[in-house]
Amino acid sequence: MTDYQELFSRVMMKSAPAPLAVLARGEGARVWDVDGTEYLDFLAGIAVNALGHAHPVFVDAVSRQAARLAHVSNYFATEPQLELADRLTRLSGGDRVFLCNSGTEAIEAAVKLARLTGKPRILALENGFHGRTMGSLSLTGKPALRTPFQPLLPGVEHLPSSIEALEAALVAGDVAALVVEPIKGEAGVVELPEGYLRAARELTTRHGALLILDEIQTGAGRTGDWFAFQHEGIVPDAIALAKGIGGGFPIGALMTFGAASELFGPGHHGSTFGGNPLAASAANAVLGEIERADLVGNARTRGAELRARIELIGSPLVTDIQGRGLLLGVGLAEPVAGIVASRALDRGLIINAANEYRIRLAPPLIIGDEELHEFTRLFAEALQAVPSNYLHTDPGDTA
């Protein structure tokens, strides 16, 4: 049998860490590695596989379109592309769509949109994450990721996640845009302060800046509404989308609302593969199935159940649970998230240690009673299995 770990270390760029396993196939909320070991997948490709793995609707759409028309240049339009753009505007209330291939490309388009305002400054938040290309990395509020690649884009500033800091930064009137995640996903699923997005909408409008929301992880029904901004009752100027809208097929989009939809003109931006018929057909199928099966409602209901189940475990390690719907972050009292994730994997459960203190959960939107019951058992075992020498509290004390 091929030594996949050795092959990975020999041929893959060193920017990628050693893989936790080599996966071979999936079905629903489960995957199997090359040795036949089964795992319950509560990460879903980092909030990507909205329908789980090998969903018949996804498979049929990709197979049919691949046999019909996979790609044309952007000199032409296709029916799947136009159908997807129309669907996204209907679900979001937006006006126009730029289709691309990933979340980081959607953010790059957002940066160019902001530059077209003619104002020099772009605001983002500390500890936020928006991608790894040079523009999106400039917005990412994690110095450890940015430092090796400086100098980055000029005019980008990172603020504390407070309304007061935002208000002070906007006073000069020279801010093009605020770019913000409704929930900080890569930070470990960390919520913004209560009322932040509503205040951000009011303040950016008052000072003539765009409000651009990074909905790459929170979009496509994951938080229990189609998009996280809809929970707040606001209308942004633009949203960046990717991940769950394609259900496993690489695709991204920048949606614009109102006057922001008039900023891009001919030749301002483009993409060879953006919105090609194969990707668009996959996204139409995924979004159509989410709508047909009310998986937005399932995310809302099952997310509440998942939160309650974690609380009922009663582990002294768990300090908080943040997020919405089926995007949840579990805070830990000790820096043992990596150990918890490793112990979970040993037991057949895939979760993510976003950092030393936070576990990220983003299961497929299709999960039900069986998956929740199994998760609860395996996650409780993983928490209990943290060696006592890593703890200041007794893991057996649930008082």
Side-chain angles (χ1 to χ4, degrees):
M1 179 181 293
T2 302
D3 185 342
Y4 289 102
Q5 295 284 1
E6 185 279 330
L7 181 61
F8 182 94
S9 66
R10 178 161 51 86
V11 301
M12 297 298 290
M13 198 67 74
K14 291 183 178 181
S15 58
L20 299 173
V22 179
L23 301 180
R25 66 183 182 92
E27 182 177 346
R30 301 178 187 280
V31 291
W32 288 263
D33 67 18
V34 291
D35 298 317
T37 303
E38 179 181 329
Y39 303 89
L40 178 64
D41 183 3
F42 260 56
L43 187 58
I46 313 181
V48 168
N49 299 312
L51 303 184
H53 301 276
H55 193 288
V57 166
F58 177 89
V59 173
D60 180 67
V62 172
S63 301
R64 285 178 178 270
Q65 190 61 46
R68 185 180 295 119
L69 184 67
H71 177 71
V72 298
S73 76
N74 53 17
Y75 291 113
F76 302 91
T78 64
E79 289 178 330
Q81 175 195 64
L82 297 175
E83 179 185 345
L84 177 59
D86 187 57
R87 186 188 300 272
L88 287 172
T89 59
R90 174 174 60 83
L91 295 175
S92 68
D95 295 303
R96 295 188 182 274
V97 183
F98 174 79
L99 295 170
C100 53
N101 308 291
S102 66
T104 197
E105 288 186 28
I107 293 295
E108 292 288 337
V111 170
K112 293 179 78 172
L113 186 79
R115 289 289 197 233
L116 288 172
T117 67
K119 296 182 178 181
R121 297 165 63 207
I122 299 176
L123 307 179
L125 297 187
E126 294 174 355
N127 213 29
F129 182 87
H130 302 286
R132 293 177 182 270
T133 51
M134 293 297 279
S136 60
L137 183 61
S138 300
L139 299 182
T140 293
K142 295 175 178 285
L145 298 182
R146 293 200 315 272
T147 299
F149 304 102
Q150 291 175 333
L152 296 169
L153 291 185
V156 177
E157 301 169 33
H158 296 93
L159 307 178
S161 300
S162 73
I163 296 170
E164 293 76 17
L166 175 60
E167 189 166 21
L170 286 166
V171 166
D174 59 351
V175 172
L178 167 67
V179 183
V180 59
E181 300 165 272
I183 299 170
K184 293 182 182 179
E186 294 299 315
V189 190
V190 176
E191 299 172 10
L192 297 175
E194 178 67 27
Y196 185 93
L197 285 185
R198 292 189 296 276
R201 175 68 289 180
E202 191 275 327
L203 289 167
T204 52
T205 299
R206 185 197 309 169
H207 294 283
L210 301 177
L211 175 61
I212 301 174
L213 300 184
D214 180 337
E215 293 252 18
I216 292 165
Q217 284 193 49
T218 57
R222 179 151 292 278
T223 64
D225 215 328
W226 275 104
F227 305 99
F229 76 84
Q230 293 167 334
H231 294 289
E232 303 296 329
I234 65 169
V235 178
D237 295 294
I239 57 175
L241 304 172
K243 289 187 181 288
I245 68 170
F249 204 102
I251 188 168
L254 181 70
M255 294 278 314
T256 54
F257 300 71
S261 298
E262 304 306 316
L263 288 171
F264 274 132
H268 277 151
H269 202 37
S271 170
T272 296
F273 292 103
N276 79 55
L278 189 53
S281 289
N284 277 317
V286 169
L287 294 173
E289 179 63 12
I290 291 173
E291 192 166 22
R292 185 203 66 79
D294 190 23
L295 296 182
V296 176
N298 196 60
R300 186 164 53 249
T301 301
R302 299 302 186 177
E305 293 176 8
L306 179 58
R307 183 188 294 264
R309 283 174 173 269
I310 296 169
E311 291 172 346
L312 286 172
I313 290 172
S315 171
L317 267 177
V318 174
T319 61
D320 66 275
I321 306 169
Q322 296 191 47
R324 280 184 180 269
L326 288 174
L327 180 63
L328 295 180
V330 181
L332 302 178
E334 306 287 348
V336 293
I339 297 171
V340 172
S342 177
R343 297 297 187 269
L345 192 69
D346 291 343
R347 288 158 173 78
L349 173 65
I350 296 175
I351 56 177
N352 172 239
N355 55 54
E356 292 181 335
Y357 283 94
R358 298 199 68 81
I359 294 289
R360 174 169 47 179
L361 306 174
L365 305 187
I366 60 170
I367 62 167
D369 292 338
E370 179 183 347
E371 290 83 7
L372 286 171
H373 179 75
E374 186 175 354
F375 165 84
T376 306
R377 176 177 60 83
L378 296 175
F379 190 53
E381 291 178 4
L383 291 168
Q384 188 69 27
V386 176
S388 59
N389 59 299
Y390 286 92
L391 307 174
H392 294 118
T393 56
D394 179 1
D397 180 8
T398 59

